[in-house]
Amino acid sequence: MSAAPALVPSPSIARARGIRFALPLDVIASFVVVAVVLAWSLAPTLFTSQNPAQGVPADKLQAPSAAHLLGTDHLGRDLFARIVFGAQPSVTSALVAVTIGVVVGGLIGLLAGFLGSWTDVVLARFVDVLLAIPAFLLAVVIVSSLGFQTINAAIATGVSAVAVFARVMRAEVLRVRSSVFVEAARLQGGSSLHVLFRHVLPNASRSLVPLAVLQFGLSILVIAGLAFLGYGDPPPASDWGLLISAGKDYPRAPWLVVWPAVVTVATVLSINRISRFLRRTS
């Protein structure tokens, strides 16, 4: 009597197990960094008791120490507290930018890919115009028109990201629209709205998740760049880009530039690594 054959897990199950139990160390570290930044933005008072807007003049420009982990600025304000409290406007504005890009860009790409004909031509030309303008330059123009505030910088960054989401969504809709299950839904009498929202949109929107995560990190970087140039909230705001801009005037206190820059770069790189991981496993 022959032995029963060993059960071999399917590739999908093995892949799922690998995702769950064999995360690369750099991905785990990236999730930790992003989780810390999100925690800073949600509950900054849990991480520091210092007031980010008020300082002690006698403690100005102190190097990192036990009393001030990352040192103090020219007004004696604790730099760690300012970085922690600066996470909230940075994260919130990036989320606003990504939401604008996903909603507006996704809607444009969805209509262009599904309706086709002259709708596709008109919307495609609109997207081409947006793509022809450098994203950062477009953001500067928009925020200059709206006013120098962080929320306006977020809106400008979101508008500059519309074209990318629109192009990706259009390509995915065109791919899904020609699938067998979509044709089967049409043959069974499904209306255009039923096919669009029940079959096309759920399958086409999957590719937007890694792109949205990637755009989240890029938005943090762009908004920090706008704040560095003075297009964000004015002092005493603690946006990361504004901290770097203010710190560059004090070359003898390099920690004023180094630590905000390290936090910004680490956050963006961690988000980019998570985006690559999601794109590979999707």
Side-chain angles (χ1 to χ4, degrees), residues 139-154 156 230-233:
V140 169
V141 172
I142 295 174
V143 76
S144 299
S145 303
L146 297 177
F148 296 169
Q149 292 181 350
T150 300
I151 186 61
N152 293 337
Y231 292 106
D233 290 336

Side-chain angles (χ1 to χ4, degrees), residues 112-114 116 120 169-179 200:
F114 188 76
D120 187 15
M169 175 60 89
R170 177 182 177 274
E172 288 298 312
V173 169
L174 291 176
R175 179 185 63 82
V176 174
R177 192 180 66 176
S178 60
S179 300
V200 176

Side-chain angles (χ1 to χ4, degrees), residues 84-170:
V84 170
F85 278 86
Q88 184 174 18
S90 299
V91 171
T92 303
S93 55
L95 286 176
V96 171
V98 171
T99 301
I100 293 174
V102 170
V103 174
V104 179
L107 181 60
I108 291 175
L110 183 65
L111 294 177
F114 188 76
L115 298 179
S117 187
W118 63 268
T119 305
D120 187 15
V121 175
V122 172
L123 294 178
R125 297 296 78 77
F126 173 73
V127 170
D128 290 340
V129 171
L130 291 179
L131 290 174
I133 306 174
F136 192 81
L137 177 60
L138 180 61
V140 169
V141 172
I142 295 174
V143 76
S144 299
S145 303
L146 297 177
F148 296 169
Q149 292 181 350
T150 300
I151 186 61
N152 293 337
I155 295 173
T157 305
V159 172
S160 65
V162 165
V164 177
F165 285 99
R167 174 159 288 189
V168 172
M169 175 60 89
R170 177 182 177 274

Side-chain angles (χ1 to χ4, degrees), residues 5-279:
L7 295 178
V8 179
S10 65
S12 59
I13 296 177
R15 186 182 180 190
R17 290 177 179 174
I19 294 172
R20 179 175 295 181
F21 300 112
L23 286 177
L25 291 178
D26 56 341
V27 175
I28 296 176
S30 299
F31 275 110
V32 170
V33 171
V34 174
V36 169
V37 172
L38 292 177
W40 285 355
S41 66
L42 294 175
T45 55
L46 294 179
F47 298 90
T48 178
S49 59
Q50 299 281 351
N51 190 325
Q54 296 179 358
V56 180
D59 295 339
K60 64 179 182 181
L61 298 179
Q62 287 189 358
S65 62
H68 302 284
L69 294 178
L70 303 183
T72 60
D73 64 3
H74 62 290
L75 296 178
R77 296 173 296 192
D78 185 77
L79 182 59
F80 177 71
R82 290 181 61 76
I83 291 176
V84 170
F85 278 86
Q88 184 174 18
S90 299
V91 171
T92 303
S93 55
L95 286 176
V96 171
V98 171
T99 301
I100 293 174
V102 170
V103 174
V104 179
L107 181 60
I108 291 175
L110 183 65
L111 294 177
F114 188 76
L115 298 179
S117 187
W118 63 268
T119 305
D120 187 15
V121 175
V122 172
L123 294 178
R125 297 296 78 77
F126 173 73
V127 170
D128 290 340
V129 171
L130 291 179
L131 290 174
I133 306 174
F136 192 81
L137 177 60
L138 180 61
V140 169
V141 172
I142 295 174
V143 76
S144 299
S145 303
L146 297 177
F148 296 169
Q149 292 181 350
T150 300
I151 186 61
N152 293 337
I155 295 173
T157 305
V159 172
S160 65
V162 165
V164 177
F165 285 99
R167 174 159 288 189
V168 172
M169 175 60 89
R170 177 182 177 274
E172 288 298 312
V173 169
L174 291 176
R175 179 185 63 82
V176 174
R177 192 180 66 176
S178 60
S179 300
V180 176
F181 63 87
V182 173
E183 295 296 332
R186 291 183 183 276
L187 292 176
Q188 290 178 357
S191 63
S192 296
L193 289 179
H194 173 78
V195 173
L196 176 62
F197 291 105
R198 181 66 179 83
H199 299 285
V200 176
L201 181 59
N203 289 279
S205 60
R206 293 177 182 175
S207 297
L208 293 186
V209 175
L211 179 61
V213 175
L214 180 64
Q215 185 62 38
F216 178 67
L218 181 60
S219 297
I220 291 178
L221 193 61
V222 171
I223 292 170
L226 292 173
F228 179 85
L229 296 176
Y231 292 106
D233 290 336
S238 56
D239 295 25
W240 292 342
L242 184 61
L243 294 180
I244 298 173
S245 177
K248 66 179 175 53
D249 297 328
Y250 301 91
R252 294 188 177 181
W255 57 88
L256 296 180
V257 172
V258 170
W259 290 118
V262 167
V263 171
T264 303
V265 172
T267 302
V268 174
L269 290 180
S270 298
I271 295 173
N272 290 350
R273 181 64 184 91
I274 294 173
S275 175
R276 293 199 304 271
F277 172 73
L278 293 176
R279 186 166 60 249

